Amino acid sequence: MYFDNVGKSNTDKTLELALRTAKERGIKHIVVASTSGETALKLSRNTDINIICVSHVNGFKTKGVNSMNESMKEELEENGVRVLTTTHVLSGAERGLSNKFGGISPVEVIAYTLRMFGQGIKVCVEVSIMALDSGLIPYNEKVIAIGGSGTGADAAIIIRPSHASSILETKIDEIICKPIEKRE
């Protein structure tokens, strides 16, 4: 499915499509990007599938501060959702070096290339690799990854992520949904 616009207005349909696809294909794991936890919470109320919520890294907006409040994290965990907060695999330390010294790193080239498919698709790839590297999903098994362009969710894919150390072995098997991004 292709959405006419990016953003939060597509969240409910994205989650519906992801859940339906998981059930139809027998996919047991869904990785969802969720900064505040709201998108992951919506998803957790509708399924018994293993859900991993990947939040922003601590200090993403304000040094030393997590974007997800502790009560939301506790509610997600009570609903069986595992919450992962770790360094973003497609930026992390390399972005810090680029910001300080200029230039661009190979990992940033990967991120910009994935953004050609849309911001949400880039996020899907990134969070699935982060979940794999953290041991929260199995290696070489199809999972569904859900991402977005800002707030909410507007992209979902079936992916077989590889570890960050072998990132180019990652395979996107299917795009379930994504927005058609307008040029500015």
Side-chain angles (χ1 to χ4, degrees):
M1 169 170 273
Y2 295 99
F3 300 119
D4 290 330
N5 297 299
V6 301
K8 192 174 189 170
S9 63
N10 301 312
T11 299
D12 290 341
K13 188 65 175 178
T14 299
L15 298 180
E16 174 191 326
L17 292 167
L19 283 170
R20 181 175 19 164
T21 301
K23 288 175 184 172
E24 289 172 357
R25 310 279 176 83
I27 294 173
K28 301 173 187 145
H29 308 278
I30 296 179
V31 180
V32 58
S34 189
T35 303
S36 69
E38 289 179 30
T39 301
L41 188 61
K42 279 185 174 186
L43 188 62
S44 73
R45 293 179 176 149
N46 295 300
T47 186
D48 56 357
I49 294 171
N50 178 35
I51 299 170
I52 294 91
C53 170
V54 180
S55 67
H56 273 161
V57 64
N58 282 325
F60 185 79
K61 291 188 178 185
T62 306
K63 290 183 179 184
V65 176
N66 190 309
S67 301
M68 184 184 296
N69 68 52
E70 195 59 34
S71 62
M72 175 60 82
K73 182 178 179 185
E74 289 171 8
E75 185 174 1
L76 287 168
E77 289 172 346
E78 286 171 10
N79 284 356
V81 176
R82 295 155 113 184
V83 178
L84 174 62
T85 303
T86 188
T87 302
H88 293 183
V89 74
L90 294 178
S91 58
E94 289 187 338
R95 183 176 294 159
L97 293 171
S98 295
N99 288 342
K100 178 77 172 173
F101 299 110
I104 188 166
S105 71
V107 170
E108 289 173 300
V109 172
I110 294 170
Y112 277 96
T113 302
L114 287 167
R115 283 188 190 102
M116 292 170 72
F117 294 95
Q119 175 65 19
I121 299 295
K122 189 276 297 183
V123 170
C124 288
V125 172
E126 185 167 39
V127 298
S128 64
I129 292 169
M130 292 162 66
L132 177 65
D133 275 356
S134 297
L136 298 177
I137 57 173
Y139 175 74
N140 203 31
E141 188 172 315
K142 291 180 181 183
V143 301
I144 291 180
I146 301 170
S149 307
T151 59
D154 60 14
I157 62 175
I158 299 174
I159 185 169
R160 288 174 289 135
S162 194
H163 293 285
S165 62
S166 56
I167 193 168
L168 297 178
E169 294 175 17
T170 295
K171 301 298 180 199
I172 299 171
D173 290 328
E174 186 177 334
I175 296 174
I176 298 167
C177 62
K178 71 177 276 319
I180 297 172
E181 296 189 26
K182 313 281 190 288
R183 288 189 183 197
E184 294 178 20

